[in-house]
Amino acid sequence: MYELTINLKPGAKIPLYEQIYAYIKEEIRRGRISSGERLPSTRALSRHLDVSRSTVELAYEQLLSEGYIEAQPYRGYFAAQIDGLYRIERQTSSRKPAVSKETKKYSYDFTPNGVDLNSFPYNAWRKLSRESLVEDQAELFRLGCPQGEAGLRNVISSYLHQARGVECLPEQIIVGAGNDYLMMLLCAILGTGHKVALENPTYRQAYRLFANLSCEVCTVDMDAKGMKADELERSGADIAFVMPSHQYPLGTVMPIRRRMELLQWAEKEEGRYIIEDDYDSEFRYKGKPIPALQGYDRNGKVIYIGTFSKSIAPAIRMSYLVLPEAVHERYRERCGFISSTVSRIDQMILQKFIEEGYYERHLNKMRALYRSRHDTLLAELKKLGCGFDISGENAGVHLLLHFRDGRSEEELISLASEKGVKVYGLSGYYVDGPRTADETVILLGYANMREEKIKEAVSLLGEAWF
């Protein structure tokens, strides 16, 4: 081949060399220039197209780097065999969209899993991202420590000690991409043959994970103080998964006596452990912060798991395990070869975010914001009268309404839906079903809703329910 008819557009935004590159690439991909066919020399093509030779050379260099053409010494350029090259096609409007089921749109959504992303510190995060990429760029793109970067584990250790009363060294911390991954890793560390007991009602995602990871799972009923220690003993479980500082979804805060009972249960036999999920412990509106159960553990029985998803943003995907010494030794033996699932750049950004005081300021801001919404919701609910009781209002970002007038959960949810308000039932959090049927419980989350929206939504609920 000695000529290529390319309709170049000198005045276009796309540079001439890119136009040449794109044309030849498309001709090769479509088979119009077959594998092994010779291309014009850079001198001949530049003369034919009336462009500079350097323009053609730039186009050929790009084609060479992507594997579309090959250079043979003293012979010239030839179309390459392109089988196996990546081909990512752009979607066009002619492609039929995936069929999806229509879902009802709500004007107000009291989701208990909400996070106010409008208050995310974008400017600070952007600034720290730029700073992190300026420093040691090449080193940041190498594989780091499997447990997470030492600097980040240091600041997490310091934060946990000051804010949550957790006693640990940075060496005991493992950073991972979310609680789901860390619980899967924990199952690999502990091995098979365990029976895990969870509270009922419970965090269903944890139940599903343990059940799908070859663990035998069971549930243990709760009372006003949390998981019942005597029923835990009778369950035959050797691992208890609990949320003592703010149980989800009931909002129960486990008192010190029940915590001691759980620790005594764990200490009775070798191989028993408590997994403490410190769910949204940062947000508390009455009394002093409740220290973590791990801080009372003196015999290496508590495995602590925490996350930044609730306090910063879910997409951060940054969680951490604190392993007792014996479990950490098992981690090194069984799973120490597994690479970290969080990029070193993201870890450095979060480290700076905590070290430079942005995290503390963000937490204080979010506490004030959520407290305002919490107080607004309570005040508006009280205006509706006394047709229900409220619980779980002292911490977290949701509360519960207890109805004892005989109406079902489905009926209350449906009535709210007719007014464009989405609410959630407690029944979905029970694994084995509620033990009593004398009440209906509705969850209302308020993290996503501004005060004026909360007032409007509660007014509509009043119209729907009373």
Side-chain angles (χ1 to χ4, degrees):
M1 176 181 290
Y2 295 97
E3 292 182 358
L4 288 174
T5 304
I6 307 175
N7 184 21
L8 296 178
K9 299 177 180 178
K13 293 182 180 180
I14 302 175
L16 291 175
Y17 84 90
E18 284 192 21
Q19 296 181 45
I20 298 170
Y21 150 79
Y23 176 87
I24 296 175
K25 181 179 78 169
E26 190 63 19
E27 292 293 287
I28 293 173
R29 288 174 58 174
R30 292 181 179 274
R32 297 192 183 109
I33 300 177
S34 57
S35 173
E37 187 172 349
R38 185 175 181 180
L39 273 68
S41 67
T42 56
R43 188 189 305 275
L45 187 57
S46 64
R47 189 165 53 243
H48 175 69
L49 298 177
D50 195 22
V51 297
S52 69
R53 187 177 179 184
S54 62
T55 297
V56 178
E57 287 174 344
L58 280 172
Y60 276 23
E61 286 173 7
Q62 186 64 32
L63 291 164
L64 275 168
S65 68
E66 294 184 16
Y68 285 99
I69 65 175
E70 297 172 345
Q72 297 183 15
Y74 309 108
R75 295 193 62 211
Y77 297 96
F78 297 82
Q81 174 63 252
I82 64 169
D83 290 347
L85 285 182
Y86 288 108
R87 298 182 64 176
I88 303 174
E89 304 289 350
R90 291 185 179 180
Q91 293 186 358
T92 62
S93 57
S94 61
R95 183 172 295 178
K96 292 183 180 180
V99 177
S100 61
K101 295 181 180 179
E102 288 189 13
T103 56
K104 179 178 173 61
K105 293 184 178 179
Y106 293 88
S107 301
Y108 309 91
D109 188 350
F110 280 107
T111 173
N113 298 314
V115 175
D116 184 358
L117 296 180
N118 292 322
S119 300
F120 182 81
Y122 293 101
N123 290 335
W125 201 265
R126 192 179 298 116
K127 168 182 173 289
L128 296 175
S129 299
R130 287 196 299 266
E131 292 176 2
S132 299
L133 286 171
V134 166
E135 302 170 5
D136 293 328
Q137 292 188 33
E139 184 61 29
L140 278 177
F141 289 93
R142 303 182 195 279
L143 279 177
C145 176
Q147 288 188 219
E149 296 305 294
L152 177 59
R153 288 186 284 115
N154 273 319
V155 297
I156 291 175
S157 174
S158 178
Y159 163 73
L160 290 177
H161 177 70
Q162 295 176 41
R164 303 297 304 125
V166 171
E167 299 291 339
C168 70
L169 298 172
E171 291 75 19
Q172 295 174 257
I173 296 174
I174 299 175
V175 177
N179 284 20
D180 293 353
Y181 164 75
L182 288 178
M183 283 192 283
M184 289 189 285
L185 179 66
L186 185 56
C187 286
I189 296 170
L190 297 176
T192 58
H194 295 284
K195 185 174 184 179
V196 183
L198 297 96
E199 300 151 321
N200 193 37
T202 191
Y203 176 45
R204 291 298 295 266
Q205 183 75 346
Y207 183 91
R208 285 192 291 261
L209 278 169
F210 288 124
N212 287 321
L213 291 169
S214 302
C215 292
E216 185 181 356
V217 291
C218 66
T219 58
V220 173
D221 286 345
M222 298 176 60
D223 58 19
K225 299 177 182 178
M227 179 182 279
K228 297 178 180 179
D230 55 348
E231 290 196 17
L232 173 61
E233 183 69 52
R234 288 194 294 270
S235 72
D238 58 347
I239 296 175
F241 180 92
V242 296
M243 295 170 272
S245 295
H246 183 238
Q247 200 272 345
Y248 185 82
L250 294 183
T252 304
V253 177
M254 188 180 291
I256 185 66
R257 182 172 179 178
R258 181 61 54 85
R259 295 176 183 227
M260 294 300 104
E261 290 174 358
L262 288 183
L263 287 174
Q264 289 168 10
W265 166 84
E267 292 164 5
K268 281 183 181 178
E269 292 186 16
E270 186 71 25
R272 283 184 176 180
Y273 291 102
I274 299 169
I275 300 174
E276 178 183 13
D277 186 354
D278 207 15
Y279 179 79
D280 69 6
S281 58
E282 294 88 358
F283 306 114
R284 184 166 178 79
Y285 313 114
K286 184 178 180 181
K288 296 181 179 179
I290 306 298
L293 173 63
Q294 194 269 2
Y296 299 102
D297 179 26
R298 297 293 178 266
N299 296 293
K301 290 295 184 176
V302 177
I303 298 166
Y304 180 93
I305 184 168
T307 182
F308 293 100
S309 294
K310 203 72 175 178
S311 58
I312 301 179
I316 296 297
R317 304 307 300 151
M318 204 92 71
S319 297
Y320 46 88
L321 280 174
V322 178
L323 300 179
E325 186 176 341
V327 180
H328 188 261
E329 182 62 34
R330 205 175 306 173
Y331 158 77
R332 285 197 296 264
E333 294 171 357
R334 295 183 175 183
C335 303
F337 62 91
I338 299 176
S339 299
S340 175
T341 52
V342 182
S343 81
R344 299 182 73 186
I345 296 171
D346 289 340
Q347 291 186 60
M348 177 173 284
I349 294 169
L350 181 57
Q351 177 186 333
K352 290 175 176 286
F353 189 72
I354 299 173
E355 283 179 336
E356 298 181 20
Y358 292 107
Y359 185 54
E360 180 182 345
R361 292 194 289 274
H362 177 65
L363 275 182
N364 290 333
K365 174 184 176 182
M366 298 311 294
R367 282 193 187 108
L369 181 70
Y370 290 155
R371 177 162 199 134
S372 175
R373 294 176 182 180
H374 161 274
D375 293 347
T376 298
L377 179 56
L378 283 177
E380 294 302 310
L381 287 171
K382 288 177 181 177
K383 293 178 182 179
L384 299 183
C386 54
F388 53 86
D389 294 323
I390 300 173
S391 69
E393 74 275 23
N394 293 332
V397 290
H398 78 277
L399 50 78
L400 300 91
L401 307 183
H402 300 256
F403 294 83
R404 298 182 179 87
D405 56 10
R407 287 184 291 178
S408 68
E409 181 180 289
E410 293 77 9
E411 181 181 358
L412 291 171
I413 292 174
S414 177
L415 290 169
S417 178
E418 291 174 5
K419 294 290 186 179
V421 182
K422 187 172 179 59
V423 298
Y424 299 79
L426 181 63
S427 65
Y429 297 91
Y430 281 97
V431 175
D432 301 322
R435 295 296 179 263
T436 61
D438 60 347
E439 68 175 11
T440 297
V441 184
I442 297 294
L443 280 72
L444 298 181
Y446 46 84
N448 278 351
M449 300 179 69
R450 298 189 303 273
E451 283 83 350
E452 60 269 23
K453 285 284 189 180
I454 291 174
K455 293 177 180 178
E456 294 168 7
V458 174
S459 177
L460 290 171
L461 289 180
E463 295 175 13
W465 288 344
F466 302 107

